[in-house]
Amino acid sequence: SQQGEEDPQALSIQEGENATMNCSYKTSINNLQWYRQNSGRGLVHLILIRSNEREKHSGRLRVTLDTSKKSSSLLITASRAADTASYFCATGRGGADGLTFGKGTHLIIQP
Amino acid sequence: GAGVSQSPSNKVTEKGKDVELRCDPISGHTALYWYRQSLGQGLEFLIYFQGNSAPDKSGLPSDRFSAERTGGSVSTLTIQRTQQEDSAVYLCASSLGAGGTGELFFGEGSRLTVL
């Protein structure tokens, strides 16, 4: 079953603008991860945030985590055409469980 | 190679035939996952191997699907008596950490088309 749900399902913005995607999940987690998938390719890991962290940065990426609301957001600043891709959140609960992915947000950056 | 390798990259088969998809994880990674992705959709979890533990098969959609991991390394996903609804991209990923605690490294996938 899906653990994470991304919102919106699709997002189209102009190059240079900021893009924000949200992820909600249902159960307690050990960590939350964001991945990017270019069309027809495998997924690439972007960033991991642990359950005891609230915010994390990596280059133009900023991720927040609110465990009380069971939600996370991914912000991409100063977007570029090359950022066009699908973005997925994934949650890990640790223990014997694996990693569960949401359905993704398809981001289009208009040049 | 340093990454996760999957083969074949593309497979076209006729309905009712069996297919085998192979995944060669990154050396030393104890966790291995199989996911299925239909066109424009998210990732559907199929099966998860962790070290020598019994695999988590809870995502396999039917008994036509099976997977094994030999020697804690290479994994094979087998689909018997393929159906058209099995058409999808099958993605394999490996991880150094257990239990979804670390980054997953994905292969480029095997695109299966059942005619």
Side-chain angles (χ1 to χ4, degrees):
Chain A
S1 63
Q2 299 295 137
Q3 160 74 316
E5 291 286 340
E6 291 89 345
D7 168 56
Q9 291 187 348
L11 178 62
S12 180
I13 62 173
Q14 294 295 316
E15 193 168 21
E17 295 180 338
N18 296 341
T20 299
M21 289 159 273
N22 302 296
C23 171
S24 60
Y25 57 93
K26 297 175 182 175
T27 65
S28 61
I29 61 171
N30 168 280
N31 71 88
L32 187 144
Q33 303 179 34
W34 285 91
Y35 287 79
R36 183 184 72 208
Q37 183 180 37
N38 289 91
S39 181
R41 305 298 298 275
L43 278 74
V44 175
H45 179 264
L46 294 176
I47 197 165
L48 180 155
I49 186 166
R50 303 202 181 279
S51 58
N52 61 353
E53 297 176 309
R54 292 296 167 259
E55 187 171 314
K56 205 161 183 180
H57 297 255
S58 177
R60 293 184 296 112
L61 305 181
R62 173 178 168 252
V63 168
T64 62
L65 179 64
D66 187 334
T67 53
S68 66
K69 295 181 179 177
K70 291 185 169 60
S71 68
S72 172
S73 67
L74 170 67
L75 169 68
I76 303 174
T77 60
S79 63
R80 305 167 182 170
D83 295 330
T84 294
S86 291
Y87 292 82
F88 295 87
C89 71
T91 52
R93 294 190 288 174
D97 294 328
L99 204 62
T100 307
F101 284 79
K103 295 183 179 180
T105 292
H106 185 51
L107 175 66
I108 296 174
I109 308 300
Q110 306 278 3
Chain B
V4 177
S5 178
Q6 291 189 245
S7 62
S9 55
N10 279 286
K11 176 71 176 179
V12 180
T13 190
E14 294 179 346
K15 178 182 174 181
K17 299 283 189 181
D18 297 352
V19 296
E20 284 190 352
L21 307 176
R22 175 188 168 105
C23 174
D24 210 331
I26 292 173
S27 178
H29 280 194
T30 58
L32 187 148
Y33 303 75
W34 283 98
Y35 293 90
R36 178 169 71 175
Q37 186 176 33
S38 300
L39 187 62
Q41 299 298 308
L43 273 69
E44 176 188 3
F45 167 76
L46 296 178
I47 189 168
Y48 163 54
F49 295 89
Q50 176 55 53
N52 295 321
S53 302
D56 176 359
K57 302 180 181 180
S58 61
L60 295 178
S62 77
D63 58 9
R64 296 186 296 104
F65 288 73
S66 63
E68 62 178 23
R69 188 179 184 190
T70 54
S73 181
V74 172
S75 177
T76 302
L77 176 68
T78 301
I79 309 173
Q80 296 179 310
R81 305 181 303 282
T82 52
Q83 304 294 313
Q84 288 183 333
E85 61 262 28
D86 299 335
S87 296
V89 176
Y90 290 81
L91 292 164
C92 175
S94 70
S95 174
L96 188 59
T101 58
E103 173 185 354
L104 263 61
F105 294 82
F106 280 83
E108 293 295 319
S110 291
R111 181 178 298 277
L112 175 65
T113 303
V114 182
L115 301 177

